[in-house]
């Protein structure tokens, strides 16, 4: 009985993976055919994927090759995330100086009115997780007018919320935070020449004395960078999805029972797409439709079985099952390796040390940044850390004071405009 359940589950995973792989590879084929010109680095990773796919179709691919491929794609995706974070920091700056160069209507709200409406909207939210997420969005839009020491005191205070958590989880959070605010950027970012040129332009602009022409150039460069980033990110996500699906196929290949006709259609479709990409001759539309039609309904028919997980109820006893659980979790870039944990918790002394290290690193970063960019980084840090308000009145006061303390009226109006969008998301009439 157990063997039957296991076979049924492994077969479901196999069919789930191959139907998704054919779909993703068809999309990949169409995009690659329309936009064949990519960077040398992207071409290299695409070639590596093609080698692994060929190995699988010939019965030679193993998890070692897939681990290496997933690692390569993951490194590139991390660089894409870093560029995205950098661009968001400079977008924050550009949004707040836009009104120097454009005649735009003023907000209908005073700082006090805006604070009251936002606090009321947050209070009406029932789900704590949704409320906290929206609160962080709101705080990220507020002007920042703190001295560095006041800012560092706020960071240290907020770190106390993590006391009692595992040190590993705090370290993972700190790694993501430091990347998000440009404290620690991944290696080899300079390999992305186009994105690097955009970031260099944004870094070198003098935001205190920027004229309309300079502002327009920065906006144009940022838009160009975002477009390129979206295309590259989509490519790496698709490649990782396909690598994950190949991984599932390799893990379940010897444990599944699939009809010969269905198996032949699956492998035949992949080979036809692969050949079409290699020769760049193209595949007739009716053949593409036929490839997809043969996969129609397969994923839906087995999805419930796949998502229910291990039928034997004990994934700890099976390394294959552990990896399948991760591969079907929806987290495309999740590590498949088991990591040993120390089991240590974050006590107050350790957390204070981590806060001090972060503040020193931020201080070093700030030394090379212009004040508008420093404020953008501060806003991002504070929006990423837990917030502690005793009640709705305290929150309302914080929002109001933040807006009123901004003497730059253009920046204040820009912030109010962004906050009006938050009101619209609350379904509040603006």
């Amino acid at each position: 009985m157990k063997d039957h359940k296991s076979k049924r589950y492994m077969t479901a995973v196999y069919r789930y993976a191959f139907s998704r792989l054919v779909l993703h590879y068809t999309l990949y084929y169409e995009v690659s055919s329309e936009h064949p010109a990519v960077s040398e680095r992207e071409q290299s990773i695409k070639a590596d994927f093609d080698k692994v796919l060929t190995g699988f179709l010939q019965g030679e691919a193993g998890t070692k090759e897939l681990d290496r491929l997933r690692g390569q794609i993951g490194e590139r995706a991390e660089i894409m995330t870093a560029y995205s974070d950098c661009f968001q920091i400079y977008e924050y700056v550009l949004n707040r100086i836009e009104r120097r160069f454009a005649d735009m209507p003023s907000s209908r709200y005073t700082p006090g009115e805006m604070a009251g409406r936002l606090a009321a909207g947050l209070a009406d939210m029932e789900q704590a997780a949704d409320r906290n997420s929206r609160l962080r969005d709101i705080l990220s839009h507020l002007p920042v007018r703190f001295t560095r020491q006041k800012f560092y005191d706020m960071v240290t205070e907020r770190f106390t919320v993590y006391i009692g958590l595992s040190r590993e989880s705090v370290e993972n959070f700190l790694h993501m935070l430091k990347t998000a605010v440009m404290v620690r950027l991944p290696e080899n970012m300079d390999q992305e020449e186009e994105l690097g040129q955009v970031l260099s332009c944004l870094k070198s602009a003098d935001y205190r004395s920027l004229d309309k022409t300079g502002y327009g150039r920065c906006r144009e460069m940022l838009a160009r960078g975002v477009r390129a980033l979206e295309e590259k990110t989509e490519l790496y996500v698709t490649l990782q999805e396909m690598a994950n699906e190949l991984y599932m196929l390799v893990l379940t290949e010897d444990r599944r029972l699939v009809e010969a006709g269905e198996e032949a259609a699956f492998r035949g479709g992949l080979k036809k797409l692969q050949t079409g990409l290699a020769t760049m001759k193209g595949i007739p539309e009716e053949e593409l439709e036929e490839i997809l039609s043969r996969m129609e309904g397969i994923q839906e028919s087995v999805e419930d079985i796949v998502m229910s997980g291990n039928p034997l109820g004990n994934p700890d006893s099976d390394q294959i099952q552990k990896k399948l659980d991760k591969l079907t979790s929806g987290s495309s870039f999740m590590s498949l390796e088991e990591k040993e944990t120390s089991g240590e918790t974050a006590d107050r002394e350790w957390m204070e040390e981590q806060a001090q290290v972060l503040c020193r690193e931020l201080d070093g970063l700030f030394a090379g940044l212009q004040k508008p960019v420093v404020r953008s980084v501060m806003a991002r840090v504070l929006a990423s850390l837990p917030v502690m308000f005793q009640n709705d009145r305290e929150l309302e006061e914080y929002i109001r004071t933040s807006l009123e303390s901004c003497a730059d009226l253009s920046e204040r109006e820009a912030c109010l405009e962004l906050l009006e969008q938050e009101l619209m998301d609350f379904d509040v009439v603006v």
Side-chain angles (χ1 to χ4, degrees):
M1 185 66 177
K2 287 183 177 181
D3 185 62
H4 172 73
K5 288 184 177 180
S6 179
K7 284 281 187 183
R8 180 170 178 264
Y9 172 74
M10 293 297 175
T11 298
V13 172
Y14 186 84
R15 298 180 72 220
Y16 172 83
F18 80 55
S19 63
R20 285 173 58 87
L21 177 57
V22 171
L23 173 60
H24 283 132
Y25 199 57
T26 302
L27 296 173
Y28 174 74
Y29 163 82
E30 292 175 337
V31 172
S32 297
S33 299
E34 294 173 5
H35 307 286
V38 294
S39 71
E40 183 178 338
R41 185 60 182 165
E42 289 164 10
Q43 286 283 26
S44 175
I45 291 183
K46 291 173 77 170
D48 288 342
F49 172 80
D50 188 63
K51 289 178 183 177
V52 175
L53 176 60
T54 298
F56 169 76
L57 291 173
Q58 294 176 350
E60 299 171 357
T63 58
K64 185 176 180 180
E65 294 82 1
L66 284 161
D67 284 329
R68 187 184 303 114
L69 178 63
R70 291 184 81 252
Q72 289 178 315
I73 300 170
E75 288 175 5
R76 305 313 297 175
E78 185 178 7
I79 289 174
M80 297 304 108
T81 300
Y83 270 112
S84 176
D85 291 330
C86 292
F87 289 168
Q88 288 178 54
I89 285 172
Y90 286 98
E91 183 181 28
Y92 176 103
V93 177
L94 292 172
N95 284 344
R96 281 152 183 74
I97 63 175
E98 182 179 13
R99 288 172 179 265
R100 292 186 202 166
F101 316 109
D103 185 16
M104 303 171 70
S106 300
S107 173
R108 70 186 71 183
Y109 298 109
T110 66
E113 291 169 342
M114 177 61 72
R117 284 177 173 261
L118 289 171
L122 286 166
D124 288 341
M125 296 186 70
E126 296 180 359
Q127 299 295 326
D130 293 340
R131 184 178 188 275
N132 289 333
S133 176
R134 181 61 60 82
L135 175 57
R136 291 186 179 189
D137 289 342
I138 290 171
L139 297 182
S140 71
H141 296 322
L142 295 176
V144 173
R145 291 297 185 274
F146 303 119
T147 65
R148 288 196 194 181
Q149 189 54 55
K150 172 63 174 176
F151 167 71
Y152 297 145
D153 290 343
M154 294 173 70
V155 170
T156 302
E157 179 187 12
R158 294 189 183 187
F159 262 48
T160 60
V161 174
Y162 296 119
I163 294 174
L165 299 181
S166 72
R167 290 191 179 187
E168 282 81 4
S169 63
V170 176
E171 288 169 344
N172 289 338
F173 165 74
L174 284 171
H175 174 76
M176 291 187 292
L177 175 62
K178 290 176 182 181
T179 300
V181 298
M182 304 193 301
V183 167
R184 292 183 187 174
L185 295 175
E187 296 180 357
N188 301 323
M189 285 184 68
D190 57 350
Q191 291 180 351
E192 294 294 336
E193 185 175 345
E194 182 179 7
L195 298 178
Q197 289 175 352
V198 172
L199 185 56
S200 178
C201 173
L202 296 172
K203 284 183 174 180
S204 62
D206 184 354
Y207 294 103
R208 298 298 295 271
S209 58
L210 201 65
D211 60 15
K212 187 172 184 178
T213 300
Y215 172 81
R217 180 168 182 267
C218 286
R219 275 293 187 191
E220 182 180 342
M221 288 294 287
L222 179 61
R224 192 180 89 184
V226 169
R227 286 194 299 271
L229 183 63
E230 288 175 347
E231 291 177 2
K232 292 172 182 289
T233 299
E234 183 178 4
L235 169 65
Y236 289 123
V237 169
T238 300
L239 284 169
Q240 187 77 336
E241 290 279 6
M242 293 193 297
N244 288 344
E245 287 145 8
L246 276 173
Y247 213 122
M248 285 187 267
L249 292 171
V250 169
L251 291 177
T252 57
E253 192 171 16
D254 294 334
R255 303 182 177 201
R256 94 297 189 198
L257 293 172
V258 177
E259 293 180 1
E262 191 174 74
E263 180 81 13
F266 156 56
R267 291 177 178 269
L270 286 179
K271 287 179 181 178
K272 190 170 291 187
L273 291 166
Q274 189 182 37
T275 301
L277 269 179
T279 60
M280 297 305 293
K281 291 182 178 179
I283 300 175
E285 188 66 30
E286 59 271 17
E287 290 190 26
L288 281 176
E289 291 180 1
E290 182 182 0
I291 290 171
L292 290 174
S293 67
R294 289 173 178 259
M295 299 298 109
E296 190 172 346
I298 294 176
Q299 179 179 334
E300 292 77 10
S301 68
V302 298
E303 196 161 17
D304 287 344
I305 300 173
V306 172
M307 295 309 164
S308 65
N310 179 18
L312 305 183
N314 185 22
D316 292 337
S317 63
D318 189 340
Q319 291 299 318
I320 291 178
Q321 183 63 56
K322 287 182 180 181
K323 289 186 176 182
L324 289 175
D325 286 342
K326 292 178 178 180
L327 288 165
T328 57
S329 68
S331 299
S332 301
F333 294 91
M334 179 182 291
S335 173
L336 302 183
E337 295 185 11
E338 293 294 314
K339 294 182 179 180
E340 293 185 7
T341 60
S342 65
E344 293 183 278
T345 58
D347 57 24
R348 181 174 294 277
E349 181 180 0
W350 187 82
M351 281 308 315
E352 288 178 353
E353 289 176 1
Q354 301 309 305
Q356 290 170 9
V357 169
L358 175 62
C359 291
R360 284 197 300 269
E361 292 177 325
L362 285 167
D363 211 42
L365 174 69
F366 292 161
L369 298 179
Q370 300 172 53
K371 186 174 287 187
V373 185
V374 170
R375 289 171 176 165
S376 177
V377 172
M378 287 182 172
R380 184 142 195 173
V381 171
L382 294 177
S384 301
L385 293 172
V387 288
M388 297 176 288
F389 295 106
Q390 298 298 320
N391 49 54
D392 295 338
R393 184 174 295 279
E394 185 177 329
L395 167 61
E396 181 179 342
E397 180 66 15
Y398 180 87
I399 297 173
R400 182 186 63 77
T401 302
S402 296
L403 291 167
E404 289 181 344
S405 65
C406 180
D408 185 334
L409 297 183
S410 295
E411 181 179 352
R412 182 196 292 182
E413 288 297 329
C415 294
L416 285 168
E417 181 182 0
L418 291 167
L419 292 170
E420 281 190 15
Q421 182 60 52
E422 295 293 336
L423 287 181
M424 293 176 66
D425 292 342
F426 279 133
D427 294 326
V428 174
V429 178
V430 298

